[in-house]
RNA sequence: GCCGGGGUGGUGAAAUGGUAGACACAGAGGACUUAAAAUCCUCUGGACCUAACGGUCCGUGCGGGUUCGACUCCCGCCCCCGGCACCA
């Protein structure tokens, strides 16, 4: 029953109808997911939010409201829609709050999540809340741990030493974001250092090629695909080893994309951390080398890789023999070579590489030229010639084109057993260890006997995160869990003898790498998901979220999906078939909305002032969905005013007794055209122009007598408005005499015949300038239009007696005369 | 530095080779009202001509080009936003 029975209230009052319908929808279970698997499905998903204590702002709604419109629109178009919400609850902010304020995440997370949920309901967003999930719930992270073990069993999880930032004052590991100007964020006078720790990694590099290739099968924004390609950074080349002079058996292995320039190699450069450095450095160079290595290790990666900085390096005193030229070349170290890429060593061909050129110039090293430009000119002596060309000064390579020379060198090094063709990736393996409390414990046990590293058996999962009163760090670099003996000390699952648990927890990205599968069967307790449910619902049909997750989250989730595919757990290779990025909403001052800046606008305040529907419409109307924009509250007055006008139009119709009506041709045409436009624009996420089309129709229809407008027009209008403004849509629908929710209605269909224009305006241009407009019947023949145009007084005047040299006719649109 | 996105009225924007500024906000004038709010109506890119009807020119960051025709395509430049950062 409508809140206001007929006759409708004169005034539109969102405060009266919005809470009523929200309660009613919840009572009737309107948004529960249908379980009829013979129907076409649509899985709609927004990126898993972290439930922050600050709650949602109107900026966040620029993601959730358009998504909600899509869900409602798809439902009206006959799809069985899955649209659920959950919480990416593990992570640093909750742990920091626990440390600083003594608030336990186990209390704050549910509290903050409940607030998000309240705000989403307040704004009329329709989710199936029976499917709500929380990544910090043992019933969830049990399966995150299970996936870790799957990775481990498949040889994709391994331990290796990695260095982390360390603050002596906090006696703990710091994340990159906690290092400010080389100092600890909480102790600005304390310089951070690097600490080496043995940690867990996932072998994502094993999937590099498939992550690259399968971008072809998804419909994602091109810029996001490009960023992933650049991040993976596949490059083909060769790995070659040169002998170190005077150190029998020692070689410098390096990777190069330009093996063809090997005759032009005049020195080599190692990363300062390269293991060979201490072995080959000569006594007289040792002091200088040690000092350089120490300062390189102090630098952050950003500083070290800065392009504005002049290149620096130090000679080790050692030489390598270039087997192609037979010459001995000096081995240097420099911080522009990274241990994490390739082999941590390069051959320097300064004639063909600009960085090597700058380095050679600075230190007075030889700059041979081994590639000549194809056009026969000489290379610019002031810089390296980095393009492909003809190989010169290079023995058996002379005269070969670059591509052929690359092949020839690859064959040569293979035959002489000093190298091979290979591929290197910029992407590194994924470090998943966190020395933190608030995460899923890594399910591994270290046996004190002979069993070594032992995975926790599936039936012993979850490894529960213990309750702690004090999450101070351990002081040793291990997580606070190391302070809990009941957690650490356990029995070896293999031999039953004494053992210790792994105290590192899993990176939060692990939780968000499979959550989209959990929504299909959120309460299933025998596996992470029920196969049949996943086969029906997955993959995700539309994934909506910010472009800031372009690489990490989206790559990790894709990798997990491929691992599951390989393990036979699922039947698809890509998790998100269509991806769209909503534009960022900045505060009115153009800055990020944040509590500290005091520029946050909450949905609560906007709903109180204008109502949820008016706020929703402004979120849709303020600009294109994918473009960033600044928040501007003034626009909400416009959408609120629009809703009062819709209310008035429907009320007039209801008061006239809801006549079937007999609309004239113009009215019919406008109604059918509007249905066509709104349908098309909602399909393409063009919410702003879809709403503009509805506003346009209102401006026309509001003047008409109810009997002219008629039932089809009014009802179609209310149904089309309902996904965008669900509360007023429902209220008006009931006022029109319907017992069933508008949100269960079918989307209106337009008749292409009725939508067609009968009269068209043909623009007449002379030399590109508009000189007249002709109103003629649609489909008028060119000859007739020509005749009319050439008789038009304006055309005659502008032609000024000159004969037309050429006439171009675009049917029903334009006649262009060239004089 | 490289990669990506963008620059249109006072403001948010629309138009993806065919009437630039749809739809709104703000503003001005008017109606209703004792008054105000709300609501409704009219005008609203700039310059100029006209008593008026109407008309002319300019105008989508800047400079070129392609085309009968360019916000849209091409070349060069400037500015803003985002991402990545010496990747061998």
């Amino acid at each position: 029953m409508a809140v206001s029975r007929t006759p409708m209230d004169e005034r539109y009052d969102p405060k009266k109808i919005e809470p009523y319908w929200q309660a009613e929808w919840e009572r009737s279970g309107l948004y529960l997911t249908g379980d009829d698997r013979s129907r076409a499905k649509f899985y709609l998903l927004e990126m898993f939010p972290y439930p922050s204590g600050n709650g949602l702002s109107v900026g966040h709604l620029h993601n959730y409201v358009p998504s909600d419109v899509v869900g409602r629109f798809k439902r009206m178009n006959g799809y069985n829609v899955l649209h659920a919400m959950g919480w990416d609850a593990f992570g640093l902010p909750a742990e920091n709050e626990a440390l600083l304020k003594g608030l336990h995440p186990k209390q704050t997370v549910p509290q903050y999540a409940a607030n998000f949920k309240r705000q989403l309901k307040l704004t009329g967003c329709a989710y199936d809340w029976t499917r709500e999930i929380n990544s910090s719930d043992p019933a969830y992270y049990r399966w995150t741990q299970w996936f870790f073990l799957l990775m481990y069993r498949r040889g994709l999880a391994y331990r290796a030493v990695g260095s982390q930032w360390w603050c002596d004052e906090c006696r703990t590991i710091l994340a990159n974001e906690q290092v400010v100007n080389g100092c600890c964020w909480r102790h600005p006078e304390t310089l951070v250092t690097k600490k080496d720790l043995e940690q867990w990694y996932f072998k994502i590099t094993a999937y590099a090629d498939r992550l690259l290739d399968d971008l072809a099968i998804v419909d994602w924004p091109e810029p996001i695909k490009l960023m992933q390609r650049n991040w993976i950074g596949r490059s083909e080349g060769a790995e070659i080893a040169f002998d170190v002079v005077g150190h029998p058996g020692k070689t410098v292995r390096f990777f190069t994309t330009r093996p063809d320039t090997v005759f032009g190699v005049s020195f080599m450069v190692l990363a300062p951390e390269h293991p060979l450095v201490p072995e080959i450095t000569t006594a007289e160079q040792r002091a200088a080398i040690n000092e350089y290595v120490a300062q390189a290790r102090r630098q952050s990666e950003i500083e070290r890789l800065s392009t504005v900085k002049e290149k620096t390096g130090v000679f080790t005193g050692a030489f390598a023999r270039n087997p192609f030229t037979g010459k001995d070349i000096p081995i240097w170290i420099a911080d522009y070579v990274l241990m994490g890429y390739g082999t941590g060593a390069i051959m320097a061909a300064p004639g063909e590489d600009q960085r090597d050129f700058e380095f050679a110039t600075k230190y007075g090293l030889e700059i041979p030229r081994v590639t000549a430009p194809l056009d026969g000119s000489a290379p610019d002596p002031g810089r390296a010639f980095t393009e492909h060309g003809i190989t010169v000064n290079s023995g058996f390579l002379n005269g070969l084109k670059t591509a052929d020379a690359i092949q020839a060198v690859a064959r040569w090094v293979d035959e002489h057993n000093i190298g091979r063709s290979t591929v290197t990736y910029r992407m590194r393996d994924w470090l998943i260890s966190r020395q933190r409390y608030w995460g899923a414990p890594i399910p591994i046990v270290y046996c004190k006997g002979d069993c070594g590293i032992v995975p926790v058996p599936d039936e012993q999962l979850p490894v529960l995160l213990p309750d702690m009163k004090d999450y101070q760090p351990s002081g040793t670099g291990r997580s606070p869990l190391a302070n809990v003996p009941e957690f650490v000390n356990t029995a070896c699952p293999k031999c039953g003898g004494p053992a210790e648990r792994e105290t590192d927890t899993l990176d939060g990205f692990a939780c968000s790498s499979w959550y989209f599968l959990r929504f299909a069967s959120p309460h299933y307790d025998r596996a992470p998901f029920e196969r049949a449910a996943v086969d029906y619902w997955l993959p995700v049909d539309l994934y909506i979220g910010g472009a800031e997750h372009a690489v990490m989250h989206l790559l990790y989730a894709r990798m997990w999906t491929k691992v599951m595919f390989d393990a036979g757990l699922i039947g698809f290779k890509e998790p998100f078939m269509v991806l769209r990025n909503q534009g960022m909403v900045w505060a009115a001052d153009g800055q990020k909305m944040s509590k500290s800046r005091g520029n946050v606008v909450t949905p609560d305040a906007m709903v109180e002032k204008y109502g949820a529907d008016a706020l929703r419409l402004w979120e849709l109307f303020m600009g294109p969905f994918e473009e960033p924009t600044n928040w501007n509250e003034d626009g909400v007055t416009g959408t609120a005013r629009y809703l009062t006008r819709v209310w008035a139009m429907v009320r007039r119709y209801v008061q006239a007794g809801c006549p079937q009506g007999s609309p004239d041709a113009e009215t019919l045409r406008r109604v059918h055209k509007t249905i066509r436009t709104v349908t098309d624009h909602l399909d393409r996420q063009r919410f702003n122009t879809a709403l503009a089309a509805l506003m346009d129709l209102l401006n026309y229809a509001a003047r008409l007598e109810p009997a002219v407008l008629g039932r089809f027009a009014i009802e179609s209008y209310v149904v089309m408005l309902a996904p965008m403004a669900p509360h007023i849509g429902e209220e008006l629908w009931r006022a029109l005499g319907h017992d069933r929710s508008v949100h269960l209605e079918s989307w209106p269909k337009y008749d292409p015949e009725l939508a067609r224009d009968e009269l068209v305006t043909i623009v007449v241009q002379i030399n590109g300038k508009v000189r007249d407009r002709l109103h003629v019947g649609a489909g008028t023949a060119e000859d007739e239009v020509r005749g009319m145009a050439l008789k038009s007084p304006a055309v005659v005047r502008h032609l000024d007696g000159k004969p037309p040299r050429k006439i171009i006719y675009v049917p029903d649109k334009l006649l262009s005369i060239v004089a």
Side-chain angles (χ1 to χ4, degrees):
Chain A
M1 264 302 134
V3 181
S4 49
R5 323 193 171 216
T6 37
M8 289 166 65
D9 281 358
E10 191 177 340
R11 255 186 69 237
Y12 163 55
D13 183 3
K15 282 215 176 76
K16 197 164 155 190
I17 65 175
E18 289 176 353
Y20 176 87
W21 286 116
Q22 283 165 14
E24 180 59 23
W25 296 331
E26 192 152 348
R27 195 193 58 74
S28 63
L30 187 64
Y31 298 119
L32 298 184
T33 313
D35 53 10
D36 176 0
R37 291 188 187 165
S38 64
R39 288 175 57 202
K41 63 93 182 181
F42 192 86
Y43 184 4
L44 168 68
L45 185 66
E46 294 104 84
M47 287 181 185
F48 209 31
Y50 170 78
S52 123
N54 298 328
L56 294 171
S57 73
V58 291
H60 295 105
L61 288 186
H62 203 235
N63 180 356
Y64 301 119
V65 169
S67 301
D68 184 58
V69 174
V70 171
R72 293 171 182 275
F73 176 65
K74 288 290 175 184
R75 239 181 237 115
M76 286 177 149
N77 279 284
Y79 289 93
N80 191 15
V81 172
L82 173 56
H83 191 207
M85 180 52 69
W87 317 110
D88 190 10
F90 277 136
L92 213 44
E95 181 152 342
N96 285 337
E97 203 174 33
L99 265 168
L100 295 169
K101 299 188 200 160
L103 298 169
H104 195 294
K106 274 195 180 163
Q107 286 153 4
T108 55
V109 163
Q111 195 184 317
Y112 297 160
N115 188 43
F116 266 46
K117 186 170 168 179
R118 178 191 63 77
Q119 289 179 299
L120 288 170
K121 287 183 176 179
L122 180 71
T123 47
C125 290
Y127 295 97
D128 179 353
W129 288 107
T130 64
R131 291 176 184 250
E132 180 178 358
I133 60 177
N134 175 338
S135 67
S136 67
D137 182 346
Y140 182 91
Y141 70 70
R142 168 187 182 182
W143 300 111
T144 310
Q145 292 172 334
W146 185 89
F147 280 115
F148 173 90
L149 295 172
L150 176 73
M151 297 280 184
Y152 183 80
R153 280 197 297 271
R154 298 184 69 80
L156 294 168
Y158 66 94
R159 269 159 75 80
V161 173
S163 64
Q164 294 298 316
W165 291 116
W166 171 265
C167 171
D168 279 327
E169 204 66 33
C170 300
R171 301 200 55 72
T172 188
I173 300 295
L174 301 177
N176 277 335
E177 65 182 48
Q178 295 174 322
V179 178
V180 183
N181 299 325
C183 295
C184 171
W185 63 322
R186 290 170 66 193
H187 304 97
E189 301 84 39
T190 308
L191 278 169
V192 295
T193 53
K194 286 275 179 71
K195 191 177 177 76
D196 287 335
L197 295 166
E198 205 167 348
Q199 311 190 77
W200 285 94
Y201 291 84
F202 280 158
K203 209 182 274 177
I204 191 171
T205 50
Y207 282 81
D209 279 329
R210 287 165 65 188
L211 290 170
L212 215 44
D213 294 344
D214 287 348
L215 285 173
I217 63 173
V218 293
D219 172 6
W220 286 17
E222 271 314 310
I224 301 289
K225 288 189 179 185
L226 198 59
M227 279 190 242
Q228 292 217 339
R229 287 193 193 103
N230 292 342
W231 183 271
I232 294 167
R234 184 181 203 274
S235 56
E236 293 180 17
E239 203 174 287
I240 307 177
F242 284 4
D243 291 331
V244 182
V245 177
H247 291 265
K250 295 280 175 213
T251 61
V252 179
R253 280 197 316 122
F254 58 89
F255 174 75
T256 176
T257 53
R258 289 291 302 275
D260 60 293
T261 61
V262 73
F263 280 87
V265 172
S266 55
F267 57 101
M268 308 198 72
V269 188
L270 305 183
E273 305 90 332
H274 197 287
L276 220 47
V277 172
E279 295 183 43
I280 61 171
T281 301
T282 57
E284 46 292 10
Q285 291 301 101
R286 190 165 301 275
I289 288 282
N290 286 347
E291 196 191 324
Y292 188 81
V293 170
Q295 70 86 22
R297 264 182 81 80
R298 270 198 308 273
Q299 291 183 53
S300 77
E301 209 159 311
I302 301 282
E303 284 169 339
R304 184 161 154 181
L305 302 180
S306 163
T307 47
V308 293
K309 197 184 70 174
E310 196 177 354
K311 305 226 173 331
T312 59
V314 178
F315 178 42
T316 61
F319 292 83
R321 179 152 303 149
N322 183 340
F324 290 83
T325 59
K327 282 189 192 163
D328 290 347
I329 53 173
I331 303 174
W332 287 62
I333 64 170
D335 57 11
Y336 77 92
V337 175
L338 304 177
M339 200 55 223
Y341 184 77
T343 64
I346 62 164
M347 64 172 215
E352 286 73 34
D353 184 285
Q354 186 58 23
R355 286 156 309 170
D356 298 343
F357 182 90
E358 287 169 27
F359 194 84
T361 304
K362 175 164 178 186
Y363 292 107
L365 298 159
E366 201 190 333
I367 303 176
R369 296 285 182 167
V370 293
T371 305
L374 284 169
D375 60 11
S377 64
D380 179 349
R383 49 176 300 116
F385 179 72
T386 57
E387 290 160 46
H388 284 199
I390 303 288
T391 309
V392 294
N393 303 325
S394 296
F396 69 92
L397 300 176
N398 282 339
L400 294 178
K401 285 187 176 163
T402 297
D404 300 328
I406 288 173
Q407 297 299 317
V409 172
R411 269 195 309 275
W412 195 91
V413 296
D414 190 40
E415 282 160 15
H416 291 78
N417 216 19
I418 61 162
R420 62 196 168 90
S421 292
T422 186
V423 173
T424 291
Y425 302 92
R426 176 192 173 278
M427 180 170 70
R428 303 169 202 175
D429 275 340
W430 172 13
L431 172 72
I432 49 153
S433 278
R434 296 291 180 270
Q435 292 75 36
R436 305 280 171 191
Y437 167 68
W438 192 233
I442 292 178
I444 287 288
V445 164
Y446 301 98
C447 178
K448 288 184 175 170
D450 300 327
C451 309
I453 297 175
V454 182
V456 173
D458 287 356
E459 61 275 12
Q460 289 180 23
L461 296 180
V463 176
L464 283 173
L465 195 56
D467 265 320
M468 292 182 70
K469 288 199 181 64
D470 183 11
Y471 343 77
Q472 292 308 316
S474 67
T476 60
R478 295 177 74 192
S479 93
L481 291 176
N483 297 337
V484 185
E486 315 86 83
F487 176 80
V488 175
N489 298 318
T490 185
C492 171
K494 232 181 199 171
C495 68
E500 284 198 359
R501 283 192 191 282
E502 170 64 66
T503 55
D504 281 355
T505 51
L506 283 164
D507 177 9
F509 280 121
C511 308
S512 54
S513 291
W514 74 279
Y515 77 103
F516 44 93
L517 291 155
R518 189 67 179 165
F519 283 125
S521 51
H523 310 296
Y524 196 63
D525 63 0
R526 294 201 304 246
F529 50 81
E530 188 192 345
R531 178 68 193 255
V534 162
D535 281 347
Y536 174 65
W537 284 114
L538 275 284
V540 173
D541 294 286
L542 177 62
Y543 195 36
I544 296 179
E548 67 273 17
H549 290 112
V551 277
M552 313 245 262
H553 160 60
L554 287 170
L555 269 179
Y556 297 151
R558 293 181 62 217
M559 179 220 174
W560 279 45
T561 300
K562 291 179 192 309
V563 173
M564 289 180 222
F565 177 84
D566 290 350
L569 297 174
I570 55 175
F572 54 93
K573 297 176 180 178
E574 283 292 330
F576 315 119
M577 295 317 290
V578 180
L579 173 72
R580 294 291 179 264
N581 300 121
Q582 84 278 8
M584 182 89 186
V585 177
W586 305 103
D589 56 12
Q591 295 196 289
K592 204 172 169 156
M593 278 193 194
S594 75
K595 235 180 180 175
S596 56
R597 290 194 179 87
N599 56 10
V600 177
V601 181
T602 64
D604 308 65
M606 293 296 105
V607 169
E608 171 65 25
K609 212 163 157 186
Y610 304 98
D613 283 333
L615 170 62
R616 288 171 61 102
L617 291 190
W618 178 237
E619 293 278 354
L620 298 167
F621 191 63
M622 55 199 276
F625 172 61
E626 307 208 33
E627 295 296 324
T629 185
N630 290 358
W631 176 255
N632 170 9
E633 188 183 322
D634 294 343
V636 194
T637 60
T639 53
R641 190 177 299 159
Y642 162 72
L643 289 174
T644 67
R645 295 182 63 213
V646 174
W647 181 274
M649 174 178 74
V650 175
R651 181 167 179 268
R652 228 156 59 91
Y653 176 79
V654 169
Q655 285 186 326
C658 298
Q660 187 60 37
S662 47
D664 53 38
E666 171 69 5
T667 303
L668 271 178
R669 184 162 52 247
R670 284 187 185 254
V671 170
H672 285 267
K673 273 174 94 162
T674 304
I675 297 172
R676 184 174 65 192
T677 304
V678 174
T679 308
D680 178 51
H681 289 209
L682 287 186
D683 260 331
R684 292 153 58 201
Q685 295 100 39
R686 299 174 57 146
F687 307 100
N688 55 331
T689 48
L691 181 53
L694 284 178
M695 288 177 168
D696 216 8
L697 182 58
L698 176 73
N699 288 343
Y700 171 82
R703 304 161 188 260
L704 297 183
E705 286 306 316
V708 175
L709 199 50
R711 178 170 288 271
F712 178 74
I714 284 282
E715 295 202 339
S716 302
Y717 198 94
V718 171
V719 172
M720 286 193 286
L721 180 61
M724 301 190 236
H727 310 87
I728 192 176
E730 187 76 295
E731 179 69 21
L732 295 176
W733 188 247
R734 304 300 178 117
L736 287 166
H738 299 281
D739 297 332
R740 215 172 66 134
S741 172
V742 70
H743 302 296
L744 298 170
E745 285 305 308
S746 289
W747 190 253
K749 304 245 177 314
Y750 68 92
D751 180 338
E753 283 302 307
L754 293 174
R756 207 167 56 199
D757 285 315
E758 281 171 13
L759 277 177
V760 293
T761 303
I762 292 184
V763 172
V764 183
Q765 294 184 344
I766 297 174
N767 294 336
K769 285 190 195 296
V770 179
R771 294 306 181 189
D772 201 2
R773 293 175 175 87
L774 304 173
H775 301 280
V776 301
T780 303
E782 176 174 354
D783 286 349
E784 199 177 328
V785 174
R786 256 182 209 239
M788 287 168 72
L790 292 173
K791 272 183 253 153
S792 141
V795 171
V796 170
R797 182 156 46 89
H798 281 98
L799 280 179
D800 197 20
K802 282 176 286 192
R805 286 196 288 131
K806 191 176 172 189
I807 296 180
I808 293 126
Y809 180 61
V810 181
D812 292 345
K813 278 205 165 148
L814 164 136
L815 189 81
S816 182
I817 302 170
V818 188

